[in-house]
Amino acid sequence: AQSVTQLDSHVSVSEGTPVLLRCNYSSSYSPSLFWYVQHPNKGLQLLLKYTSAATLVKGINGFEAEFKKSETSFHLTKPSAHMSDAAEYFCVVIGGYSSASKIIFGSGTRLSIRP
Amino acid sequence: EAGVTQFPSHSVIEKGQTVTLRCDPISGHDNLYWYRRVMGKEIKFLLHFVKESKQDESGMPNNRFLAERTGGTYSTLKVQPAELEDSGVYFCASSQDLLAGVGYNEQFFGPGTRLTVL
């Protein structure tokens, strides 16, 4: 069975400071892991994905995430927050490689940026 | 290339009424999925179409929900009669079939339909 836990429901940082959004997963298979972002009144947008290639994954808008099997973590980071990063972020696990594999969402982390 | 589109963007109805949500997937995507997020909780899987067939409808909450995908193109999700607990955001997503050479099941999401039942 697959599951994903986002450890913080809300994170607030100052503009220009680092961002860390935490995600832990559980999977019976070698997982595919994703981070999605949802800005207000917009659809879910893929930020980055891990599919058993390089463990450090770079995504759009300066975000990156590191897959750590020993810690079962896939935390999302960004060196310097921008006001436009304010949104809700979802960690996602897919436990398989077929189109029937279910996508499991974390509960979401709302990121606020202070001026 | 157009992304996944959903209509309407927002619907407000009274308890007991019927509402139909529509999703147009990315052209050529055989897989279409419905999800919903209720009351700020996790986004939950509802069902999965492969072309016009229901591959998995294990997430459908009850028989007040009916999903169709006529001709394997767009899909509709009907709620009849709507209840207060049906309020939330309904997302649609689509993906290519793995036979097309895609190595993982990346799903592309629409903007969602926000349903409010009063």
Side-chain angles (χ1 to χ4, degrees), chain B residues 55-109:
Chain B
Q55 175 81 8
D56 181 354
E57 53 184 326
S58 61
M60 295 287 266
N62 51 61
N63 59 10
R64 296 186 292 105
F65 288 76
L66 175 64
E68 294 180 323
R69 192 181 182 194
T70 306
T73 55
Y74 71 91
S75 174
T76 57
L77 179 65
K78 179 188 288 187
V79 185
Q80 179 182 29
E83 298 289 345
L84 298 178
E85 62 265 25
D86 301 331
S87 296
V89 181
Y90 290 76
F91 293 101
C92 175
S94 71
S95 71
Q96 291 178 306
D97 189 86
L98 286 180
L99 293 177
V102 177
Y104 56 89
N105 188 22
E106 179 176 357
Q107 297 181 18
F108 297 84
F109 284 81

Side-chain angles (χ1 to χ4, degrees), chain A residues 36 46 49 88 97 102-103, chain B residues 35 56 98 104 106-107:
Chain A
Y36 281 85
L46 181 66
K49 54 186 179 280
E88 191 162 18
Y97 293 93
K102 287 187 183 168
I103 186 170
Chain B
Y35 299 86
D56 181 354
L98 286 180
Y104 56 89
E106 179 176 357
Q107 297 181 18

Side-chain angles (χ1 to χ4, degrees), chain A residues 88-110:
Chain A
E88 191 162 18
Y89 293 78
F90 295 92
C91 184
V92 170
V93 63
I94 298 177
Y97 293 93
S98 79
S99 58
S101 302
K102 287 187 183 168
I103 186 170
I104 308 296
F105 283 84
S107 54
T109 298
R110 187 166 298 279

Side-chain angles (χ1 to χ4, degrees), chain B:
Chain B
E1 178 183 332
V4 177
T5 58
Q6 293 187 245
F7 182 83
S9 58
H10 193 180
S11 179
V12 181
I13 61 172
E14 293 188 351
K15 176 182 173 181
Q17 290 186 322
T18 298
V19 63
T20 301
L21 313 181
R22 173 171 170 145
C23 169
D24 286 79
I26 293 173
S27 178
H29 281 193
D30 288 341
N31 296 286
L32 187 149
Y33 309 81
W34 283 98
Y35 299 86
R36 75 171 179 176
R37 190 181 194 195
V38 175
M39 296 289 288
K41 296 184 179 178
E42 292 90 348
I43 299 172
K44 295 286 193 182
F45 167 85
L46 293 179
L47 86 159
H48 169 207
F49 283 99
V50 178
K51 297 184 180 179
E52 67 275 9
S53 300
K54 293 176 184 174
Q55 175 81 8
D56 181 354
E57 53 184 326
S58 61
M60 295 287 266
N62 51 61
N63 59 10
R64 296 186 292 105
F65 288 76
L66 175 64
E68 294 180 323
R69 192 181 182 194
T70 306
T73 55
Y74 71 91
S75 174
T76 57
L77 179 65
K78 179 188 288 187
V79 185
Q80 179 182 29
E83 298 289 345
L84 298 178
E85 62 265 25
D86 301 331
S87 296
V89 181
Y90 290 76
F91 293 101
C92 175
S94 71
S95 71
Q96 291 178 306
D97 189 86
L98 286 180
L99 293 177
V102 177
Y104 56 89
N105 188 22
E106 179 176 357
Q107 297 181 18
F108 297 84
F109 284 81
T113 294
R114 181 173 295 279
L115 175 64
T116 302
V117 183
L118 302 176

